[in-house]
Amino acid sequence: MDVKLHGFWASPYSKRVELALKVKGIPYEYVEEDLRNKSHLLLQYNPVDKKVPVLVHHGKPIVESLLILEYIDETWSTAPRLLPQDSYTRATVRFWASFLSQELFDSMRPVVATAGEAQEKVIEKVSENLKVVEEGMKDLFPDGTPVINGENLGMLDIIAFSILSSYKAVEEAIGVKLLDRERNPLICSWVTALNELPVVKETIPSHAKMVAFFQHIRQNALQIPKP
């Protein structure tokens, strides 16, 4: 197999690469990594930060999920394209891809591992970033409703999937609402449309499995006795 992906089943970074490969119709071999006992190949391919995902193409590793997505789009340049051809629109998509991956996701990550006042501050920051995304996406989705099917998924769709598709599992695990249809109508419509796609359904872990995963993280972080 010319293409291999080293990933972790619950990693949003890995999942976005998986989805991109499927959308592009690229055959690949998936290698599940135990992040507590990383394989020698993972350490060999990514000696700098030793993280997943790593895409290996013809024996050469590519790391960092956003760079991998661009590599996939440039290497397999047939449709569907993940990035638009127009240079201005492409730059805009890259900006929002970075914002979603860094500002929004980085603000969401501590939600599961915090409680009380600390969690309230985290959720406030998440709400602020969701508002920024909601407003920003109005320029990219001028009709207010993303038109999505399995053949036109772009980079922003793939990143939104990786970050937000399991938001209900997070909400169930922490008992707090993150997304609200009144405050975030465009984002909610976007995520709902993504989650209904067959290619997304076969890529995203089950709701129950993600709830258990987030609960495990929360129990360990807060030292909550297991029921």
Side-chain angles (χ1 to χ4, degrees):
M1 186 72 69
D2 289 339
V3 180
K4 294 184 180 181
L5 173 63
H6 290 253
F8 174 61
W9 71 269
S11 165
Y13 304 107
S14 296
K15 287 299 173 184
R16 65 180 57 160
V17 177
E18 281 190 66
L19 184 57
L21 291 168
K22 290 177 181 179
V23 167
K24 286 285 215 174
I26 303 167
Y28 69 97
E29 177 185 341
Y30 178 75
V31 181
E32 176 72 9
E33 290 285 347
D34 179 354
L35 300 186
R36 294 169 296 182
N37 184 26
K38 298 172 183 177
S39 71
H40 73 280
L41 279 177
L42 176 62
L43 301 179
Q44 173 187 323
Y45 287 139
N46 191 3
V48 177
D49 58 18
K50 305 175 179 62
K51 295 179 180 178
V52 295
V54 175
L55 185 76
V56 184
H57 185 212
H58 292 310
K60 297 179 180 179
I62 305 95
V63 301
E64 299 293 341
S65 63
L66 293 184
L67 297 179
I68 294 173
L69 293 185
E70 294 213 25
Y71 177 86
I72 289 172
D73 203 37
E74 292 171 1
T75 304
W76 292 273
S77 57
T78 54
R81 296 304 301 264
L82 304 183
L83 282 163
Q85 294 298 298
D86 175 71
S87 57
Y88 177 77
T89 309
R90 188 165 61 249
T92 302
V93 167
R94 281 182 171 134
F95 168 81
W96 284 111
S98 177
F99 186 91
L100 287 168
S101 290
Q102 297 177 19
E103 296 296 328
L104 177 59
F105 187 52
D106 284 354
S107 68
M108 292 178 66
R109 293 176 71 175
V111 169
V112 174
T114 53
E117 186 176 341
Q119 188 182 68
E120 290 175 5
K121 291 181 179 179
V122 170
I123 292 174
E124 182 178 352
K125 182 61 177 177
V126 172
S127 297
E128 291 174 2
N129 284 333
L130 285 170
K131 183 178 180 180
V132 171
V133 173
E134 183 79 21
E135 292 300 313
M137 291 303 100
K138 289 178 181 178
D139 292 332
L140 293 176
F141 304 127
D143 294 334
T145 303
V147 179
I148 296 172
N149 59 59
E151 298 178 355
N152 72 340
L153 289 185
M155 178 177 282
L156 281 185
D157 301 311
I158 290 170
I159 293 172
F161 144 79
S162 69
I163 297 171
L164 296 170
S165 283
S166 295
Y167 81 91
K168 289 185 179 179
V170 176
E171 291 179 341
E172 184 173 332
I174 67 176
V176 176
K177 200 164 185 62
L178 294 177
L179 273 178
D180 183 271
R181 286 201 171 272
E182 291 187 4
R183 294 195 308 268
N184 317 114
L186 192 152
I187 295 175
C188 286
S189 296
W190 192 13
V191 175
T192 298
L194 287 169
N195 281 350
E196 290 175 351
L197 296 175
V199 69
V200 168
K201 289 180 179 179
E202 71 180 39
T203 304
I204 190 172
S206 73
H207 175 78
K209 191 173 182 180
M210 290 307 297
V211 171
F213 176 73
F214 291 131
Q215 288 175 337
H216 176 73
I217 292 175
R218 186 167 180 79
Q219 288 169 351
N220 287 343
L222 302 178
Q223 297 183 336
I224 299 172
K226 293 184 180 180

